[in-house]
Amino acid sequence: MDDSVRLRLAGFPRERTWLLPALLAAQETEGWLSSEALTAVAEHVRVPPSETCAIATDYATFRRVKPGRHLVRVCAGLSCRLAGAADHLRALEDRLGIARGSTTPDGRVTLEEAECLSVCSLAPVLEVDGASHGRVTSAAVERLPMWFRTRRPWQGDVEASELPQIRALGRTAQERLAYLRSHAEARIRQRPEFRFLVQGGSCGEALGAGEMLKALRLLVAMRGLDAEVLDGACHGMCSAGIVVEVQRAGWPRLTFTHLTKDIVPDLLSALVGSAPPLTRFTGVAWNDEGWRGLPPASRHPFFAGQRRLIMERCGHLHPDSLDDALVGGGYSALANVLDRQTPEDVLEEVKASGPRALRAGAAEWEVCRNVSATPRYFVANGEEGAPGLFTDRHLMEGDPQRVLEGLLIAAYAAGANRGIIHINGAARLPFERMVRARATARAAGLIGDRILGSAFSFHVEIRRGARGFVRGEERALLLSIEGQRASPRTRPLRPHESGLWGKPAAVSNVETLAALPPLIAAGGGGRARERQSATRLVGVSGPVNCPGIVEVPSGVTLRELVFDVAAGLRDRRRLKGVRVAGPLGVVLGPDSLDVSLESLDALSAGARGVIPIPEGDSVVEIEGALRATV
């Protein structure tokens, strides 16, 4: 072990609760956990070496055997299995001359089968040296060395002290927010004429959005355009290849899909020319009429059936920009709550008009609030990693400030003053974007002491977790945060009464929290409307023509979701069944396709993923594979 591991560890507090993040950092530095690295971690967080070793063994994330110079992992999640990942794994075994879980004799390549890489919408997926590659074909597998690279270091933490501190003026929370928003609007008016948002995120990265970002920046500079080119996030239509949104004052937002580097010069010429039609390019305009030959999003098959409340800003803003979020209405619901509502008011409004998940959450927040012990914690569960579940990751990548605002409102209602956002340890991009969002929000006084001048204070930590416990199982989740063994407590536990370190802790997933601001923003007069048009996010993946994240009314049926929104199965295959992914996943037959998403809660509460199963695939084998990966 060299000094680089100790340098990474120096950034962590010397407390047991940071054991798992410290182990992850050590592994990322060396590529595995050597005995020396385990000892260094144990000494730093003051945990006995024997216990540190036992805990590292508990979690599947940690690697105790040194891998080769290049690490290749093939996703074994259901969506990837149905899309041919098993064939790719066998081809790689034959080509490399090794079995999965082994390293070539020359120490060059290690081949592994991954539980789930959480890029389900781009199945089948391979990860090479930490970078995911989606929609992998047999030909691409043959060109594997093209993807070898030096393993990318993780983004370090960002401190609010590194950013300009903003002292918002005003007597009320709404006045102070208006002050922040007016300054954001002034800065936006100084932006370049054009703004290009390359739809990155985990799915975009897996399709090569990084190369498009470089190419577009180069072409914009060569043409001398007054433009900025930014790494954005996905609208949810992951099947659309490389996507770029174009923004310009006086224009509707324009989203171009299926782009290649060869098409970009012509696209730039068309955009800056004398208003020629854009019919040769595929995409949509975000208005009611369409624009220069582009159809409106409301007439696009993927978007037509959607109603976007939670995801309304995803893809349209730069995820790192607090200015974008503020001008897009960010923190308006929070300011209104701080000025006009007591915590009890918030709880009653959510229980009266919120969708099922929010109502259930509010009941637990209320119990947490009524416990006299302090401090009270609020945990945002972003661990999500089971096959078919990727909506939380999408929200953290696409609109991290909305996640923070929802967490703040929920914490206010629960009487919590400390928060922890727990993110899957393999989810690099969500972690990086949430860290930067937290830093900018703290610098603006939206997180910390006396938020927006109110009496409410709330401090947030962001933790990376290690896979190995039952995902989403909140008792095991809390043990992970405490740095304990992965096995859930044997005694019954009500975390909202006695959770983290024996103190009350409310736990909600990221999607539930992100749904809170639009609900609160509707106000009391909008309760009936919100109840009638409640939406939910669903990840549709596997062998469908248009996989992705959709936000649809709860009354939408599985048939509409699979055949209208996702455009049916690839290669015109017949449907054998549907795997509904959630805390309790179930497989439904074709005779259940007219069941609404809301009705599915009776079978699988919290269902947030749909994976169609085509004829020819064995449901028995699928269930066996899922039990092996969960």
Side-chain angles (χ1 to χ4, degrees):
M1 184 190 77
D2 57 31
D3 290 338
S4 57
V5 172
R6 295 189 185 278
L7 288 173
R8 280 290 301 273
L9 295 178
F12 293 98
R14 305 197 66 184
E15 302 169 0
R16 182 192 188 105
T17 182
W18 291 94
L19 173 59
L20 293 181
L23 286 170
L24 283 167
Q27 176 166 285
E28 288 157 2
T29 303
E30 286 196 319
W32 66 301
L33 287 176
S34 64
S35 297
E36 294 83 358
L38 282 172
T39 300
V41 171
E43 291 175 351
H44 185 81
V45 297
R46 298 187 174 100
V47 174
S50 59
E51 190 176 357
T52 299
C53 182
I55 290 174
T57 304
D58 255 4
Y59 289 89
T61 294
F62 297 121
R63 186 175 292 107
R64 296 301 316 281
V65 178
K66 186 176 181 178
R69 295 187 297 278
H70 299 289
L71 179 60
V72 180
R73 304 171 74 215
V74 181
C75 183
L78 176 58
S79 299
C80 288
R81 284 179 181 272
L82 293 173
D87 293 336
H88 294 337
L89 182 59
R90 285 191 291 269
L92 285 168
E93 288 178 320
D94 292 342
R95 178 177 176 184
L96 297 172
I98 56 174
R100 68 199 71 176
S102 304
T103 301
T104 55
D106 60 2
R108 187 180 185 219
V109 181
T110 294
L111 177 64
E112 292 182 350
E113 187 176 42
E115 291 181 356
C116 180
L117 295 174
S118 299
V119 195
C120 309
S121 56
L122 297 182
V125 178
L126 266 65
E127 183 186 85
V128 181
D129 293 336
S132 292
H133 301 270
R135 289 200 210 143
V136 176
T137 64
S138 299
V141 169
E142 291 299 317
R143 300 193 299 269
L144 178 66
M146 293 191 313
W147 292 337
F148 289 163
R149 66 174 191 167
T150 302
R151 294 190 184 113
R152 173 184 171 183
W154 278 67
Q155 171 75 30
D157 204 350
V158 180
E159 293 296 330
S161 58
E162 300 173 13
L163 302 168
Q165 303 296 298
I166 304 170
R167 184 173 178 270
L169 303 178
R171 294 172 301 172
T172 66
Q174 291 182 349
E175 287 179 1
R176 291 183 181 227
L177 181 64
Y179 178 92
L180 293 175
R181 185 170 293 144
S182 66
H183 283 258
E185 290 169 345
R187 287 188 291 270
I188 285 175
R189 287 194 291 270
Q190 301 304 312
R191 285 176 176 170
E193 179 182 5
F194 283 95
R195 197 180 204 215
F196 297 93
L197 289 172
V198 178
Q199 306 286 278
S202 296
C203 52
E205 282 190 343
L207 291 175
E211 294 303 312
M212 174 62 76
L213 190 69
K214 295 176 186 176
L216 190 52
R217 283 174 174 165
L218 178 61
L219 289 167
V220 163
M222 290 175 61
R223 288 174 176 261
L225 290 181
D226 183 26
E228 59 181 352
V229 181
L230 302 168
D231 186 7
C234 179
H235 287 92
M237 190 166 55
C238 309
S239 62
I242 304 299
V243 178
V244 176
E245 174 152 310
V246 180
Q247 298 174 358
R248 186 186 188 189
W251 288 10
R253 295 188 297 262
L254 308 175
T255 299
F256 296 93
T257 63
H258 303 91
L259 291 177
T260 65
K261 289 185 286 186
D262 294 336
I263 296 175
V264 169
D266 291 341
L267 176 62
L268 292 179
S269 297
L271 291 172
V272 301
S274 55
L278 298 171
T279 50
R280 62 165 297 193
F281 307 102
T282 57
V284 296
W286 294 89
N287 62 359
D288 294 331
E289 304 82 21
W291 197 77
R292 286 171 55 177
L294 287 181
S298 60
R299 292 210 302 265
H300 190 283
F302 184 80
F303 294 110
Q306 297 193 47
R307 173 172 164 73
R308 296 195 159 209
L309 298 174
I310 306 171
M311 287 178 57
E312 62 180 337
R313 300 193 306 229
C314 286
H316 299 310
L317 53 69
H318 184 212
D320 291 346
S321 173
L322 177 60
D323 287 350
D324 279 12
L326 290 173
V327 172
Y331 295 96
S332 295
L334 174 66
N336 182 68
V337 161
L338 295 178
D339 278 346
R340 300 180 179 178
Q341 294 182 278
T342 66
E344 292 76 14
D345 291 336
V346 176
L347 291 169
E348 288 306 313
E349 181 167 350
V350 174
K351 288 189 291 184
S353 59
R356 183 191 298 263
L358 270 174
R359 295 198 305 271
E364 295 188 359
W365 308 343
E366 186 172 31
V367 174
C368 180
R369 178 172 189 80
N370 291 334
V371 176
S372 59
T374 57
R376 300 186 188 95
Y377 295 89
F378 205 111
V379 178
N381 181 6
E383 169 62 25
E384 187 180 65
L389 300 181
F390 49 102
T391 54
D392 286 352
R393 175 180 288 210
H394 186 92
L395 288 169
M396 290 187 286
E397 291 174 355
D399 197 351
Q401 296 292 351
R402 168 147 288 174
V403 175
L404 287 175
E405 183 182 6
L407 173 59
L408 287 164
I409 295 171
Y412 174 79
N417 53 15
R418 294 183 64 181
I420 295 175
I421 302 174
H422 186 275
I423 300 175
N424 190 310
R428 175 187 56 79
L429 195 58
F431 173 78
E432 292 178 357
R433 290 187 172 177
M434 288 304 306
V435 164
R436 289 194 287 269
R438 181 194 60 173
T440 55
R442 286 172 58 189
L446 294 165
I447 293 175
D449 294 326
R450 298 187 59 81
I451 294 170
L452 291 176
S454 71
F456 174 54
S457 298
F458 190 69
H459 298 267
V460 179
E461 294 178 3
I462 301 179
R463 301 287 189 91
R464 297 172 55 211
R467 287 181 176 176
F469 57 86
V470 182
R471 297 175 191 86
E473 207 287 325
E474 59 189 26
R475 294 172 294 173
L477 173 69
L478 298 180
L479 285 173
S480 169
I481 293 172
E482 292 175 355
Q484 305 286 351
R485 299 291 295 269
S487 302
R489 291 178 172 91
T490 55
R491 65 182 176 86
L493 174 67
R494 289 169 60 86
H496 34 287
E497 295 178 351
S498 177
L500 278 177
W501 302 289
K503 301 297 183 181
V507 182
S508 291
N509 66 39
V510 166
E511 180 185 335
T512 298
L513 297 175
L516 193 49
L519 176 72
I520 296 295
R527 289 181 180 178
R529 183 177 68 255
E530 288 300 322
R531 191 181 300 113
Q532 293 169 359
S533 59
T535 63
R536 62 196 303 164
L537 300 188
V538 182
V540 186
S541 59
V544 292
N545 288 307
C546 293
I549 301 281
V550 301
E551 183 175 359
V552 292
S554 295
V556 165
T557 65
L558 285 175
R559 186 184 305 279
E560 292 170 323
L561 199 60
V562 172
F563 291 101
D564 295 341
V565 180
L569 274 64
R570 296 176 193 165
D571 303 321
R572 298 184 178 180
R573 298 179 70 182
R574 293 174 60 85
L575 183 70
K576 182 175 186 177
V578 172
R579 170 76 185 190
V580 179
L584 296 174
V586 296
V587 175
L588 303 177
D591 55 340
S592 299
L593 288 181
D594 292 316
V595 172
S596 70
L597 296 179
E598 187 173 29
S599 300
L600 283 177
D601 286 334
L603 300 172
S604 179
R608 294 185 289 140
V610 170
I611 308 172
I613 302 170
E615 290 281 0
D617 286 285
S618 168
V619 174
V620 174
E621 292 180 3
I622 287 168
E623 288 299 302
L626 284 169
R627 282 193 292 271
T629 58
V630 175

